Amino acid sequence: MKLAAALTALSVLIAGSPAMAESASFIRVDQVGFAPEEAKEAYLMADRPLPFTVVDRRGRVVLRGTAGRDLGKWNDTYRHVYRLDLSRLRTPGSYRVKAGGQTSAEFAVAPSIALSLPAAKIVTFFGGQRDRWHKGDKAASVYDWPEFTGPDTDQIKGDLTKVGGPVDVSGGWFDAGDYLKFTHILAYVDTLLWAAKRDGAIDPRLRGEADHGLKFLDKMWDETSKTLYIQVGIGAGNAEGTFAGDHDIWRMPEEDDHSTEKYIRDRPVFRAAAPGQPISPNLAGRTAAAFALAAQVEPDRGRARELLEKGASVYAMAKTENVGPLVTSLPHAFYPESVWRDDMELGGAELALAAQRLRDPRAGEWLRQAAHWAGEYLKHDAGGDTFNLYDVSALGHADLVKAIRQARGGTLPVTERQLVGDLRAQLEIGAARAAQDPFQAGARYDQFDSVPHAFGLAATSRLYRSVSGDRSYDSFGTRQRGWAFGANAWGVSFVSGVGDDAITCPHYQMSNLTGRPPTGAVVNGPNSASLFDDGLGGHMDRMSPCPADGVDRYAPFTGRGSRFVDDVRSWQASEPADDFAAVALYALTLMSRGG
């Protein structure tokens, strides 16, 4: 009997091994869905092409088909990915795909305005990111830049040196899963929130969130002394162990005012440059853009002019000669931006549009400056990146085209044709990657920021259409949105609370400690598998294990040098950030406008 049992066990083992048996099949689909007129695709991970059906909520078959061509190998287990064409499905409703004994997550076919529902969840996330607690920020001290123990660490050497204060830097949003606040990030985020408001977002709460961000930028820009403050708080403590930083303690933000750690309780503030000195042009350009976009939306003309003046004053302080390393955060390694001409283009374009609206005579000069920096961007920086925190040229190009058309005449250093051509070139960067990827992803998912890059490409597809009239990249943009919402190897929506199978264990303190879901949080997504070679590490004090059983259910889908881990310790993949949420919201806004 023992021999028989052993043989039975051996046969089960052999039959279940990937080398000796067929792998399980999986269906991946955008868990939000599609507008009736959009191209619709799902993906089948299986050993061979299979017939499929689409059923409605009552289980009725509404579409039949057979898997299309093999899009390529994902990993050694899933060697084939097949395209499922669902485009004939145009009747509004909720559906699932069935194939090979598997059933997909639910998705909808609905008017494109339905994208306002996930967009609303993202707006909810911003409400939860508001800093309501740090009372010390109302009278914070200003410090000189710290010295770090190495170029790739946030560990500080020695102590901080106070150089000024007090300043009121209360409010704003927490940057990510921590409680730091950065002007570099917030200016980008607020720019996109105002752009979404201008370009058709319907959520009535959005104006309040955009205003909330602008109030913080107004505090970070001291008009009287011409000083831009760039950061509130420090990431890590010092090498000597005499003080801690934000990343050293897992906690709720309301605890900080009573902390025994001096730089947790009384958070330091840092400047971009000494008072009255030129400011890093990336910061000047994007901060000006936020004020100018608010001026385009503000119904009160007097208030709009005030906002325009604020944007103009910071834009005029940009250091555009002998620029050197850009200023983003301390340390720079947190946000290693290296391109700045796009920010100056964007700032100038938004100032020009606001001035045109207000009939301000400076509109032409800002238009010329924006066109100059656009030309310099095309000469020095084009072809390296697509729309995201570090490259805002897609929005800059589209809005500069609008400003040029409103100006109706004049010779400029760049043409509409060049700007539209570079928008197309950025889409081609993504399209070339998508052509080699089984899930047709245009973003690189073996590097940081894959999800925001996907949403950035989705947004760019609609910005390009808006200035060219060319719809040839619409389907590509829809696929990038779908990839972020579940049509990926892992079958996960990277936006919390959006889709049947969304992230559940983000690296996010407030959610982890309270148990409240981080609705609308957008995470980094898959990242280089090498970043996980040393494991996830232990849980910080007070960190609740998530998933509770510690099992990585996405491990079988590691492939093509990338890995996604839905675990509270996985900051590399599962930490949400404001800039991720902002570009997702903007993409959904543009796509909600439909045809």
Side-chain angles (χ1 to χ4, degrees), residues 14-75:
I14 293 173
S17 67
M20 301 295 292
E22 292 184 352
S23 59
S25 58
F26 291 94
I27 303 165
R28 306 309 197 196
V29 68
D30 179 336
Q31 295 170 30
V32 172
F34 311 89
E37 70 277 5
E38 285 185 309
K40 306 170 189 69
E41 295 173 351
Y43 302 91
L44 174 67
M45 304 168 73
D47 289 315
R48 61 186 184 279
L50 299 171
F52 70 90
T53 60
V54 178
V55 299
D56 63 16
R57 277 190 170 173
R58 296 174 62 181
R60 297 176 300 186
V61 175
V62 296
L63 183 68
R64 296 182 186 274
T66 300
R69 68 184 181 89
D70 187 349
L71 298 173
K73 172 184 173 181
W74 176 251
N75 61 20

Side-chain angles (χ1 to χ4, degrees), residues 417-442:
R417 183 176 180 178
Q418 288 175 298
L419 296 169
V420 172
D422 192 58
L423 283 170
R424 184 184 182 104
Q426 292 187 34
L427 290 168
E428 278 299 314
I429 291 173
R433 292 186 188 128
Q436 304 299 316
D437 184 72
F439 296 91
Q440 301 180 85

Side-chain angles (χ1 to χ4, degrees), residues 316-336:
M317 293 298 295
K319 181 182 181 181
T320 57
E321 296 182 0
N322 302 315
V323 173
L326 299 182
V327 178
T328 57
S329 58
L330 300 172
H332 181 74
F334 278 171
Y335 291 105

Side-chain angles (χ1 to χ4, degrees), residues 27-34 40-45 71 74 81 84 86 104-105 107 437-442 445 454 478-494 501:
I27 303 165
R28 306 309 197 196
V29 68
D30 179 336
Q31 295 170 30
V32 172
F34 311 89
K40 306 170 189 69
E41 295 173 351
Y43 302 91
L44 174 67
M45 304 168 73
L71 298 173
W74 176 251
V81 179
L84 306 182
L86 314 179
S104 75
F107 65 94
D437 184 72
F439 296 91
Q440 301 180 85
Y445 40 74
T478 300
R479 292 188 198 104
Q480 305 319 300
R481 183 189 78 214
W483 182 87
F485 282 140
N488 53 64
W490 300 269
V492 61
S493 167
F494 298 116
D501 297 310

Side-chain angles (χ1 to χ4, degrees), residues 235-567:
N238 63 351
E240 295 78 6
T242 59
F243 60 83
D246 187 272
H247 297 166
D248 297 324
I249 305 172
W250 195 259
R251 69 209 186 276
M252 292 295 289
E254 55 264 37
E255 300 171 26
D256 287 0
D257 284 335
H258 308 288
S259 176
T260 58
E261 293 288 345
K262 59 180 178 179
Y263 295 134
I264 298 291
R265 181 185 63 250
D266 300 313
R267 307 201 299 169
V269 179
F270 304 96
R271 306 172 304 196
Q277 294 301 304
I279 297 166
S280 190
N282 55 314
L283 288 169
R286 63 181 53 196
T287 303
F291 283 115
L293 267 157
Q296 295 171 37
V297 172
E298 173 57 51
D300 183 290
R301 292 300 181 103
R303 172 61 176 160
R305 291 187 181 92
E306 291 177 7
L307 294 169
L308 178 60
E309 292 304 326
K310 291 179 187 293
S313 66
V314 69
Y315 191 72
M317 293 298 295
K319 181 182 181 181
T320 57
E321 296 182 0
N322 302 315
V323 173
L326 299 182
V327 178
T328 57
S329 58
L330 300 172
H332 181 74
F334 278 171
Y335 291 105
E337 184 176 32
S338 59
V339 176
W340 56 271
R341 297 172 184 89
D342 57 316
D343 294 283
M344 291 298 292
E345 175 195 359
L346 177 64
E350 303 307 348
L351 287 167
L353 286 170
Q356 288 171 344
R357 178 202 176 208
L358 297 170
R359 301 185 184 279
D360 188 297
R362 294 170 292 180
E365 176 57 28
W366 284 320
L367 181 62
R368 284 188 288 275
Q369 289 187 49
H372 167 75
W373 292 119
E376 291 298 296
Y377 170 88
L378 294 177
K379 186 186 301 182
H380 298 285
D381 304 313
D385 203 355
T386 57
F387 191 12
N388 75 111
L389 174 67
Y390 301 122
D391 191 321
V392 295
S393 61
L395 179 56
H397 290 354
D399 279 2
L400 180 53
V401 168
K402 295 173 188 175
I404 291 171
R405 290 173 179 172
Q406 289 188 33
R408 298 180 181 177
T411 302
L412 294 169
V414 73
T415 66
E416 290 182 38
R417 183 176 180 178
Q418 288 175 298
L419 296 169
V420 172
D422 192 58
L423 283 170
R424 184 184 182 104
Q426 292 187 34
L427 290 168
E428 278 299 314
I429 291 173
R433 292 186 188 128
Q436 304 299 316
D437 184 72
F439 296 91
Q440 301 180 85
R444 292 195 61 174
Y445 40 74
D446 58 351
Q447 295 184 354
F448 277 99
D449 298 359
S450 57
V451 169
H453 271 91
F455 279 120
L457 287 166
T460 303
S461 72
R462 297 321 193 251
L463 290 171
Y464 170 74
R465 186 220 288 181
S466 73
V467 294
S468 70
D470 180 3
R471 302 178 64 108
S472 60
Y473 290 92
D474 281 12
S475 295
F476 167 77
T478 300
R479 292 188 198 104
Q480 305 319 300
R481 183 189 78 214
W483 182 87
F485 282 140
N488 53 64
W490 300 269
V492 61
S493 167
F494 298 116
V495 184
S496 177
V498 175
D500 285 352
D501 297 310
I503 55 162
T504 57
C505 295
H507 183 80
Y508 190 58
Q509 294 177 86
M510 288 186 284
S511 174
N512 181 255
L513 289 169
T514 63
R516 293 194 298 267
T519 300
V522 182
V523 300
N524 180 92
N527 211 328
S528 173
S530 65
L531 294 177
F532 302 93
D533 285 349
D534 296 328
L536 298 177
H539 293 86
M540 296 181 68
D541 289 346
R542 298 178 59 191
M543 181 185 278
S544 298
C546 187
D549 59 8
V551 175
D552 178 8
R553 65 189 180 100
Y554 295 112
F557 307 108
T558 295
R560 295 202 166 204
S562 67
R563 182 178 175 187
F564 176 69
V565 186
D566 190 11
D567 189 296

